Amino acid sequence: EAQVTQNPRYLITVTGKKLTVTCSQNMNHEYMSWYRQDPGLGLRQIYYSMNVEVTDKGDVPEGYKVSRKEKRNFPLILESPSPNQTSLYFCASSLSYDSYEQYFGPGTRLTVT
Amino acid sequence: AQKITQTQPGMFVQEKEAVTLDCTYDTSDQSYGLFWYKQPSSGEMIFLIYQGSYDEQNATEGRYSLNFQKARKSANLVISASQLGDSAMYFCAMRVDVIGNEKLTFGTGTRLTIIP
């Protein structure tokens, strides 16, 4: 089944403890991206990747890192999480950046205390 | 920088009625794409419809149509014959076709509730 998977789905952590949220797609998509969703703010793009080894900042990249070593994986790294990074995170992928449809993962709900 | 505005935080509509969800956008670029996504209470994001800036006809997908008015910079989503399953958050989004700016920008969303 074609899908985008994210792990973990739920995470509660403490301020400053490094964490990684994994994202993987099995559709051979070139474009992948990360979003955070906050009430009243909609979805905001954190980082995106046009292809392997090519990443670029979205609208809210501060406090996050990404890497794209393989086409299928695009992990999101929070080196030192803070409470303002408590949010719902979505990974998405599409065949290319100008594709009509992005396929979203199920979301990761992160709470930083 | 591109911007999407959705001015209706919430809407209540009677079942079987048509509903229009408003979306205005702002960009100085000539080539861009506009999208609508649905997010039910279960949380997943579902692609609904796409409109390119050079498309002459309004996009349609089943009960969904996009009322694209380029001069007014609006891209409203029209749902015909609404159903209870249409209750969800709806997000408008845009992408400009500019190398080096391959971002997707979302609006703040409209929560649609269909009343039986």
Side-chain angles (χ1 to χ4, degrees), chain A residues 4-7 20-25 29-35 45-58 64-77 90-93 102:
Chain A
V4 178
T5 56
Q6 294 179 228
N7 281 293
T20 299
V21 184
T22 64
C23 172
S24 184
Q25 50 91 6
H29 285 171
E30 292 189 346
Y31 185 89
M32 297 186 74
S33 61
W34 277 101
Y35 301 88
Q45 197 168 33
I46 303 170
Y47 269 96
Y48 64 92
S49 170
M50 298 280 282
N51 211 328
V52 176
E53 302 293 359
V54 181
T55 63
D56 212 339
K57 296 177 181 177
Y64 304 94
K65 284 176 59 177
V66 293
S67 68
R68 187 94 181 271
K69 295 188 172 67
E70 308 165 276
K71 199 170 190 177
R72 63 183 293 128
N73 296 324
F74 191 45
L76 179 69
I77 303 157
F90 285 101
C91 179
S93 74
Q102 282 202 28

Side-chain angles (χ1 to χ4, degrees), chain A residues 31 37 45 48 59 100, chain B residues 35 37 39 50 102-104:
Chain A
Y31 185 89
Q37 181 178 6
Q45 197 168 33
Y48 64 92
D59 290 320
Y100 290 179
Chain B
F35 307 77
Y37 282 85
Q39 186 179 41
Y50 167 84
E102 299 87 359
K103 297 186 295 187
L104 189 63

Side-chain angles (χ1 to χ4, degrees), chain B residues 30-47:
Chain B
Q30 298 303 307
S31 180
Y32 49 87
L34 296 155
F35 307 77
W36 278 92
Y37 282 85
K38 173 183 179 181
Q39 186 179 41
S41 57
S42 51
E44 73 267 32
M45 295 290 290
I46 302 168
F47 167 76

Side-chain angles (χ1 to χ4, degrees), chain A residues 9 31 35 37-38 40-45 48 50 56-59 88 90 97-106, chain B residues 35 37 39 42-47 49-50 55 89 91 95-109:
Chain A
R9 293 289 312 279
Y31 185 89
Y35 301 88
Q37 181 178 6
D38 302 289
L41 297 177
L43 280 82
R44 293 177 293 168
Q45 197 168 33
Y48 64 92
M50 298 280 282
D56 212 339
K57 296 177 181 177
D59 290 320
L88 177 61
F90 285 101
Y97 91 94
D98 58 353
S99 297
Y100 290 179
E101 180 175 0
Q102 282 202 28
Y103 295 81
F104 281 79
Chain B
F35 307 77
Y37 282 85
Q39 186 179 41
S42 51
E44 73 267 32
M45 295 290 290
I46 302 168
F47 167 76
I49 198 166
Y50 167 84
D55 294 341
M89 279 289 284
F91 292 98
R95 179 204 69 232
V96 296
D97 298 327
V98 174
I99 294 173
N101 187 19
E102 299 87 359
K103 297 186 295 187
L104 189 63
T105 300
F106 283 80
T108 53

Side-chain angles (χ1 to χ4, degrees), chain B residues 61-76:
Chain B
E61 290 286 347
R63 292 186 300 113
Y64 303 108
S65 61
L66 199 153
N67 185 0
F68 181 46
Q69 298 189 41
K70 198 169 184 176
R72 299 178 66 177
K73 293 191 174 179
S74 75
N76 298 340

